[in-house]
Amino acid sequence: MGIGYNYKCKRCGRKYSVTVGLPSLYPQAYRELRQQIWEYRQGLQPARAFRLMPRAAVKAERIVLYCENEGHWLAGYDCTLYLPNDPESIPKDEVPFPDDLEKDYHVAWEYKHRCGICRKYMHTATDEELQHLQCPGCKMENEAIGTFNWD
């Protein structure tokens, strides 16, 4: 389960929202994300790393990437790849949940996304940054006008 944030731009009136956290259908989201990485739909670098480690696991948790320099943000997934600490003990088709990744896996390749404007690395947005995301249209910073739980 995750949380969503709703916004309405003070300048142009555009309404937008973002969601972060775990989807209720996590196993399905996990398989879809792995397929997207394999098909280069999450970028070139994750796909290349994944092809070198086909048994790698990924955390199918929605995040918002944020650029401190520009205020630019991007909703998506953290495509960091994890390998099992003991590959023999993990079934090949297992869908590891985030707690499993912390306990039974280690980071094999860290996902780093560059801002499309300034080319500096983006980070996962903090709760404070999520409260003040800029409008995707006119780039004015706005406050969240409400939150909601999502599945």
Side-chain angles (χ1 to χ4, degrees):
M1 184 143 189
I3 189 166
Y5 297 85
N6 289 319
Y7 308 86
K8 182 175 180 186
C9 183
K10 298 172 191 170
R11 182 183 297 153
C12 70
R14 181 178 186 164
K15 293 180 181 178
Y16 55 104
S17 62
V18 296
T19 55
V20 294
L22 299 176
S24 62
L25 298 174
Y26 186 84
Q28 179 181 343
Y30 176 85
R31 289 184 186 98
E32 288 173 3
L33 179 57
R34 283 179 52 95
Q35 187 65 33
Q36 289 174 7
I37 292 170
W38 185 258
E39 295 172 352
Y40 292 88
R41 290 188 283 155
Q42 291 291 332
L44 180 65
Q45 295 300 329
R48 284 183 175 168
F50 189 58
R51 288 173 190 281
L52 295 173
M53 300 173 276
R55 281 222 43 214
V58 66
K59 194 184 299 183
E61 180 177 14
R62 296 217 21 104
I63 62 169
V64 172
L65 295 163
Y66 186 80
C67 175
E68 283 182 19
N69 196 43
E70 297 292 329
H72 178 67
W73 58 272
L74 175 68
Y77 292 96
D78 179 355
C79 294
T80 296
L81 301 180
Y82 299 81
L83 287 175
N85 295 332
D86 181 12
E88 305 302 321
S89 68
I90 307 292
K92 188 175 181 178
D93 294 331
E94 180 182 75
V95 174
F97 283 79
D99 290 344
D100 300 327
L101 293 174
E102 300 295 324
K103 184 175 52 172
D104 300 327
Y105 290 73
H106 62 275
V107 173
W109 180 81
E110 188 176 358
Y111 177 68
K112 293 186 177 182
H113 189 85
R114 288 189 183 269
C115 175
I117 299 170
C118 71
R119 305 301 301 155
K120 292 189 178 182
Y121 286 115
M122 299 173 85
H123 66 269
T124 301
T126 65
D127 290 336
E128 179 63 29
E129 290 164 340
L130 287 169
Q131 293 292 328
H132 303 281
L133 293 182
Q134 69 182 8
C135 174
C138 69
K139 308 298 183 215
M140 180 174 181
E141 185 178 294
N142 291 286
E143 289 185 34
I145 57 172
T147 61
F148 59 94
N149 292 327
W150 69 279
D151 292 326

